[in-house]
Amino acid sequence: MSTETVETTDENRRFRGTLRDLDTGVVARIVALDVEPAELRRLRSLGIRTGSEVQVSQHRGAGVVLAAAGGRIALGADVARRILVEAGAR
């Protein structure tokens, strides 16, 4: 499993971290999925894949609720910590 990183710079206001670290309401693009093959298949079937845009609509305990692929998707803490996203100035 890769190490979690959260990077924010004032210069370009770019965020790079996990879904768990993403603030509510921020739109981000998925850059990596560090999950087991079965979980990867499940996420893909829900429209969650590298390059997808997602938005954390709610933090629920340690998990998150996403607005993605035209719907809402709840993810547990373990999965949310294994999805790396990037948001901010382009």
Side-chain angles (χ1 to χ4, degrees):
M1 183 163 102
S2 61
T3 305
E4 293 180 34
T5 58
V6 178
E7 299 172 11
T8 311
T9 63
D10 290 334
E11 182 179 299
N12 61 11
R13 304 302 246 182
R14 189 176 246 2
F15 167 89
R16 186 176 175 99
T18 69
L19 273 179
R20 180 69 197 124
D21 302 319
L22 189 63
D23 289 337
T24 302
V26 176
V27 176
R29 184 170 306 279
I30 296 174
V31 295
L33 297 151
D34 184 20
V35 296
E36 297 295 323
E39 186 65 30
L40 183 60
R41 284 190 298 277
R42 183 181 83 86
L43 291 170
R44 285 181 177 162
S45 75
L46 295 170
I48 304 298
R49 55 183 48 95
T50 302
S52 297
E53 283 195 348
V54 296
Q55 180 180 32
V56 172
S57 57
Q58 190 175 10
H59 286 274
R60 296 192 50 96
V64 297
V65 177
L66 297 179
R72 289 180 170 259
I73 301 162
L75 298 176
D78 187 49
V79 174
R81 286 186 184 107
R82 293 172 172 252
I83 299 176
L84 185 66
V85 296
E86 189 170 78
R90 295 179 188 227

